Amino acid sequence: DAGVTQSPTHLIKTRGQQVTLRCSPISGHKSVSWYQQVLGQGPQFIFQYYEKEERGRGNFPDRFSARQFPNYSSELNVNALLLGDSALYLCASRDGGHFSYEQYFGPGTRLTVT
Amino acid sequence: AQKITQTQPGMFVQEKEAVTLDCTYDTSDPSYGLFWYKQPSSGEMIFLIYQGSYDQQNATEGRYSLNFQKARKSANLVISASQLGDSAMYFCAMREDAFSSGSARQLTFGSGTQLTVLP
């Protein structure tokens, strides 16, 4: 079975531009979470979606937005990019059941803002 | 206060030896879960082991075991018989069930420990 997939793998953008990152969860998983990992730090929670609804949002500005589609894939959008947005963006999926605890992470999208 | 503290930025261990990676946490949530992830240089986070706050026994998964000391709020990872492929960044993370944003059940990560296994 395919794991969590993310695209693109790498991305270079200029300050002020907008970017869209994509994530496909493991088949059957209804919950998708997004994390930002700045170099040298642990990942930080950005969003979680379950059944196409936002279930949680971390401490990120409104420039960050996301959505989940009927097939449970997800997009993370970042507007007006800043140099500080340069990071590895990780997507994680979970089946969403009450007793499920394990989050499966994708390989990430490495975003560089110049 | 930091919710997850990993005080060892880097650790070295000889191949075939055991190593303990430290993790302390801070929460007032009575229900929470503790996780360890491995992150190789490729970037993908690989789940290693989970311990629930109400679990009576320490979790074990193959060569990985979690030394859970609830009163001390510590959840150290023990890797037995280290292998060269164990060289990676290791992250401790916590999920707080009552305090999560909505029902997000998001993870809060520590700053990680870079483990290097020496031949």
Side-chain angles (χ1 to χ4, degrees), chain A residues 8 13 17 19 32 34 36 43-44 51 68 70-71 77 80 84 88 91 99 101 104 106 111:
Chain A
K13 289 287 190 178
Q17 287 188 316
V19 69
V32 170
W34 287 95
Q36 180 198 63
Q44 279 200 299
E51 289 279 16
Q68 188 176 33
N71 66 353
N77 295 285
L88 179 68
C91 173
F99 295 104
Y101 55 80
Y104 297 84
L111 173 65

Side-chain angles (χ1 to χ4, degrees), chain B residues 47-105:
Chain B
F47 168 78
L48 297 178
I49 197 166
Y50 167 82
Q51 179 87 41
S53 59
Y54 294 117
D55 293 342
Q56 295 296 316
Q57 293 191 327
N58 287 344
T60 60
E61 290 283 351
R63 294 186 299 112
Y64 304 106
S65 61
L66 200 152
N67 184 2
F68 181 46
Q69 298 187 46
K70 196 170 183 177
R72 295 185 176 187
K73 293 189 175 179
S74 75
N76 298 339
L77 176 70
V78 180
I79 305 175
S80 62
S82 296
Q83 302 171 356
L84 295 177
D86 293 335
S87 293
M89 194 73 156
Y90 287 79
F91 288 98
C92 179
M94 176 172 65
R95 184 203 70 234
E96 297 168 285
D97 292 335
F99 295 164
S100 289
S101 171
S103 57
R105 309 183 82 182

Side-chain angles (χ1 to χ4, degrees), chain A:
Chain A
D1 284 345
V4 178
T5 59
Q6 293 186 245
S7 62
T9 306
H10 294 87
L11 203 52
I12 299 175
K13 289 287 190 178
T14 305
R15 274 179 300 176
Q17 287 188 316
Q18 175 264 341
V19 69
T20 298
L21 311 181
R22 295 175 177 83
C23 170
S24 291
I26 291 172
S27 177
H29 284 194
K30 300 178 181 178
S31 171
V32 170
S33 297
W34 287 95
Y35 291 81
Q36 180 198 63
Q37 186 178 18
V38 173
L39 192 64
Q41 298 180 17
Q44 279 200 299
F45 173 73
I46 310 174
F47 283 111
Q48 194 224 9
Y49 277 77
Y50 176 71
E51 289 279 16
K52 294 162 284 180
E53 290 187 1
E54 181 183 306
R55 291 299 182 92
R57 182 186 183 116
N59 189 23
F60 280 81
D62 291 342
R63 298 184 297 107
F64 289 77
S65 64
R67 56 179 175 168
Q68 188 176 33
F69 298 98
N71 66 353
Y72 303 114
S73 66
S74 177
E75 286 182 351
L76 175 70
N77 295 285
V78 186
N79 293 323
L81 285 166
L82 303 174
L83 294 179
D85 295 331
S86 294
L88 179 68
Y89 288 84
L90 294 162
C91 173
S93 80
R94 189 168 66 86
D95 69 15
H98 181 74
F99 295 104
S100 73
Y101 55 80
E102 187 173 340
Q103 293 199 36
Y104 297 84
F105 283 83
T109 293
R110 198 167 295 276
L111 173 65
T112 302
V113 182
T114 63

